[in-house]
């Protein structure tokens, strides 16, 4: 059945009651009643695991210029469209090949001591204070410091860079206001200037770090231009910072709300890696991702026309009972197929920083829960108000 004019009575609605506190019941309702639907907002929505995975593997576009209409809300503009996350093949293939040389397993093994050192310092602060806001003490500073340290960024206004990173994420969300486009452009230009100056200095202050590796990365004589380097470094901050904040805070909160699973993790170090996969499945750091169809795409009994904006509900797919079974809505750290979650996307656009995010989560979450056997939530969580990057803005704990 072609559904170019189809409108479902049940549609994705992030403004529905209780959505920000817990969006999963709404995702479940949409998945049951309208797993594939054309939204009145001018985009299509997918929420079953099978359909979302197929879309991500189908090599459609991430370039909004291929859309017939504006459709779903556009992300923040990113450095002249040169960032890996904004590119389709063949440019994406070239950039990913060069970037991947700086994100190899060997490179990541060298990062582990840095992460352990930073986590240890944050946990010391929590212990001295008897607790505090887990987001501000651990989840926010850790990924930003890790990215800055492993890149080997020259001296830079890190406080302002962090502000701009958060601002760009928030201004790219739906409902960000009439001035959002102008504000995004201004924040983007300022961040580009900061990163550009740092890279210029890095050419003179080389070291054993990822930024030097990116400068030197070469594929058949091909290297990243200055503008391309700026775009990739800014992308690592914008895409790798807020998402890891959500993974850390969301993972800890899920464990605090499930004492049996928290006890299991403390008792079973052999589950550490699988536990992170299950936490990624259960509470993904990114809830939605977007593609533009380059050709007609079939999802279930619907044919989505070429040039359509399609939102894929990663959070919905990750709890699809049709794929995971009747306990899809439960946290189960020993789930055998947990790694089949879609939290890092799929296909050619699978997250290049997934290995780094897993490393930080494994060290930070397991270190926190094992060091503090009396860890408790100490008040109400406050959410960040975002839809695609929903996460905690404030999570008080006692240790």
């Amino acid at each position: 059945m072609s559904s170019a004019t189809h409108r479902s009575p049940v549609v994705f609605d992030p403004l529905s009651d209780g959505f920000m506190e817990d969006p999963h019941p709404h995702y479940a309702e949409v998945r049951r009643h309208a797993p594939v639907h054309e939204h009145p907002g001018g985009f299509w929505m997918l929420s079953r695991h099978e359909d979302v995975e197929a879309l991500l593997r189908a090599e459609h576009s991430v370039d909004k210029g291929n859309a017939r209409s504006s459709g779903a809300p556009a992300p923040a503009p990113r450095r002249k469209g040169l960032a890996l996350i904004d590119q389709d093949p063949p440019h994406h293939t070239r950039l990913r090949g060069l970037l991947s040389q700086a994100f190899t397993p060997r490179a990541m093994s060298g990062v582990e001591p840095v992460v352990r050192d930073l986590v240890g310092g944050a946990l010391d602060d929590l212990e001295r204070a008897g607790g505090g806001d887990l987001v501000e003490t651990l989840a926010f500073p850790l990924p930003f410091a890790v990215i800055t340290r492993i890149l080997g960024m020259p001296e830079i206004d890190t406080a302002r860079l962090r502000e701009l990173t958060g601002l760009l994420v928030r201004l790219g969300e739906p409902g960000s206001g009439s001035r959002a486009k102008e504000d995004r452009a201004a924040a983007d230009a300022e961040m580009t200037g900061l990163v550009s100056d740092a890279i210029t200095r890095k050419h003179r202050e080389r070291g054993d770090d990822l930024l030097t590796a990116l400068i030197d990365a070469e594929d058949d004589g091909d290297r990243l231009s200055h503008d391309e380097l700026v775009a990739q470094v800014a992308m690592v901050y914008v895409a790798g910072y807020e998402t890891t904040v959500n993974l850390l805070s969301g993972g800890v909160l899920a464990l605090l709300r499930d004492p049996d699973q928290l006890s299991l993790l403390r008792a079973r170090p052999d589950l550490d890696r699988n536990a992170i996969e299950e936490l990624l499945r259960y509470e993904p750091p990114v809830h939605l991702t977007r593609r533009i169809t380059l050709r007609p795409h079939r999802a279930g009994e619907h044919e989505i026309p070429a040039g359509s904006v399609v939102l894929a509900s990663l959070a919905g797919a990750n709890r699809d009972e049709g794929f995971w079974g009747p306990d899809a809505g439960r946290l189960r750290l020993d789930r055998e197929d947990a790694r089949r979650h879609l939290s890092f996307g799929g296909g050619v656009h699978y997250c290049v920083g997934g290995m780094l995010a897993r490393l930080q989560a494994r060290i930070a979450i397991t270190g926190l829960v094992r060091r503090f056997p009396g860890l408790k939530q100490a008040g109400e969580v406050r959410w960040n108000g975002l839809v695609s990057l929903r996460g905690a803005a404030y999570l008080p704990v006692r240790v």
Side-chain angles (χ1 to χ4, degrees), residues 97-98 101 213-224:
L98 291 169
Q101 297 178 45
L214 287 175
I215 290 171
D216 292 341
E218 187 172 336
D219 184 13
D220 291 332
D222 188 15
R223 292 192 176 190
L224 296 172

Side-chain angles (χ1 to χ4, degrees), residues 40-186:
F43 58 92
W44 287 77
M45 184 81 179
L46 308 182
S47 55
R48 284 185 302 222
H49 190 283
E50 177 184 6
D51 296 330
V52 171
E53 184 175 43
L55 178 79
L56 298 178
R57 293 185 181 277
E59 298 187 16
H60 290 298
S61 178
V62 295
D63 182 355
K64 66 177 181 178
N66 287 314
R68 294 176 306 166
S69 61
S70 59
R78 287 178 285 247
R79 280 61 54 192
K80 307 176 185 178
L82 293 174
L84 175 73
I85 201 171
D86 295 319
Q87 293 277 339
D88 291 332
H91 299 300
H92 176 273
T93 308
R94 167 184 171 267
L95 284 172
R96 192 177 185 96
L98 291 169
L99 272 172
S100 294
Q101 297 178 45
F103 284 91
T104 62
R106 180 179 177 183
M108 289 301 98
S109 68
V111 173
E112 184 161 344
V114 174
V115 177
R116 290 194 180 280
D117 180 55
L118 290 167
V119 168
L123 299 187
D124 289 345
D125 290 342
L126 275 173
E127 184 169 25
R128 279 191 292 268
D133 176 13
L134 191 74
V135 176
E136 186 61 32
T137 305
L138 177 65
F140 263 132
L142 175 64
F144 195 89
V146 167
I147 290 169
T148 301
R149 291 265 294 265
I150 68 174
L151 278 171
M153 290 288 282
E155 186 174 345
I156 191 171
D157 187 348
T158 52
R160 183 55 180 160
L161 190 60
R162 176 173 154 178
E163 289 174 3
L164 291 168
T165 300
L167 189 60
L168 283 168
V169 168
R170 281 155 182 76
L171 290 174
E173 283 278 315
S176 52
S178 58
R179 287 185 50 83
K181 188 174 182 180
E182 295 175 19
D183 292 342
R184 285 203 309 260

Side-chain angles (χ1 to χ4, degrees), residues 255-329:
L255 290 167
L256 290 174
R257 289 176 167 177
D258 194 327
D260 289 342
Q261 293 299 298
L262 177 57
S263 296
L264 180 65
L265 182 60
R266 286 189 173 125
R268 294 275 306 275
D270 60 300
L271 285 179
D272 284 2
R273 293 180 187 276
N274 199 72
I276 299 307
E277 302 304 326
E278 174 66 353
L279 290 170
L280 278 161
R281 180 198 73 85
Y282 185 77
E283 197 58 81
V286 179
H287 279 210
L288 303 168
T289 192
R290 185 190 66 166
R291 294 291 185 272
I292 315 297
T293 53
L294 294 175
R295 55 195 173 279
H297 179 87
R298 182 159 289 278
E301 57 184 27
H302 301 279
E303 184 173 276
I304 301 173
S308 297
V309 177
V310 185
L311 284 190
S313 174
L314 304 178
N318 278 354
R319 295 199 189 189
D320 180 4
E321 298 88 344
F323 181 83
W324 303 99
D327 67 348

Side-chain angles (χ1 to χ4, degrees), residues 13-63:
D13 180 12
L15 299 179
S16 59
D17 289 344
F19 182 90
M20 190 49 60
E21 289 73 23
D22 183 5
H24 295 288
H26 181 66
Y27 292 142
E29 182 184 17
V30 172
R31 191 172 57 245
R32 281 194 300 268
H33 299 291
V36 181
H37 67 269
E38 188 177 9
H39 197 278
F43 58 92
W44 287 77
M45 184 81 179
L46 308 182
S47 55
R48 284 185 302 222
H49 190 283
E50 177 184 6
D51 296 330
V52 171
E53 184 175 43
L55 178 79
L56 298 178
R57 293 185 181 277
E59 298 187 16
H60 290 298
S61 178
V62 295
D63 182 355

